Amino acid sequence: MSTRHLLLGLLAGGPSHGYDLKRRHDERFPQARPLAYGQVYTTLQRLVRDGLAEVEGTDSDGGPERTMYRSTDGGARELAKWAGEIAPPAPFVTNEIFAKVVVAILSGGDPEAYLRAQRAAHMERMRELTAVKTAPGADLATVLSADYALNHLDADLRWMTTTAARLTTLTAEVDAA
């Protein structure tokens, strides 16, 4: 995900301090990795450098001095372009789980045990996400984000079931290569 474009999107709502942008990011994208303050400020500096944002001023509100940023017309155009681009499906999906199954076969490990353990980890994460999305007061962004992750985990589980059923054939192919 593009931090640059997410910050431009948050700035589209009006001028903000870096602290407020980080807080709003973490609220709007609850299942995403929280942004680090350093990442926010570094990205804001690059946006200013590239003419996509500008410093509107500074204030202290009784605390440390904070810089207020706003999007420029160029930033609005960049954001509109990015938001309208179709995200291409990945031509190749790097699958760490598959790699570990193959490595288990190559190294004389137990790929079936690995798949069982991985399945258990996925099921635990699915329970956590279900609790998050069904919690009293969960907002729609949280529910949709959890649903997205749940669907991906479900796809992984279906793949693991298929792979477990085909381990004998996969082991023969890997050993023959």
Side-chain angles (χ1 to χ4, degrees):
M1 198 172 333
S2 169
T3 302
R4 167 187 185 103
H5 292 102
L6 290 177
L7 290 181
L8 281 173
L10 293 170
L11 284 172
S16 294
H17 301 104
Y19 174 83
D20 293 331
L21 291 168
K22 185 246 187 293
R23 183 183 48 75
R24 286 199 336 251
H25 169 275
D26 295 349
E27 288 171 359
R28 299 266 189 262
F29 305 102
Q31 296 300 318
R33 177 176 291 141
L35 289 179
Y37 286 105
Q39 183 179 14
V40 170
Y41 289 107
T42 300
T43 303
L44 285 168
Q45 289 170 355
R46 289 183 187 133
L47 290 170
V48 169
R49 178 198 68 201
D50 297 343
L52 303 175
E54 60 190 15
V55 174
E56 179 158 289
T58 58
D59 66 34
S60 63
D61 261 346
E65 189 173 272
R66 297 189 306 175
T67 303
M68 181 81 80
Y69 296 88
R70 74 173 195 83
S71 181
T72 63
D73 290 341
R77 284 190 302 276
E78 170 73 16
L79 178 62
K81 179 182 173 223
W82 175 79
E85 292 173 348
I86 301 301
F92 300 100
V93 178
T94 303
N95 185 330
E96 184 176 352
I97 299 168
F98 176 67
K100 288 183 177 186
V101 168
V102 171
V103 167
I105 293 168
L106 290 170
S107 65
D110 186 348
E112 192 170 356
Y114 170 75
L115 286 170
R116 277 194 309 274
Q118 187 64 58
R119 180 179 183 75
H122 270 56
M123 295 298 292
E124 176 60 27
R125 182 63 181 141
M126 290 177 86
R127 283 189 286 279
E128 292 168 1
L129 289 166
T130 300
V132 165
K133 78 178 235 172
T134 59
D139 61 26
L140 185 57
T142 298
V143 170
L144 292 173
S145 184
D147 281 342
Y148 184 84
L150 284 163
N151 280 296
H152 280 266
L153 290 167
D154 183 60
D156 282 352
L157 287 172
R158 285 183 275 122
W159 178 86
M160 284 184 242
T161 299
T162 301
T163 301
R166 296 175 175 169
L167 270 178
T168 302
T169 304
L170 178 61
T171 300
E173 287 182 9
V174 168
D175 288 343

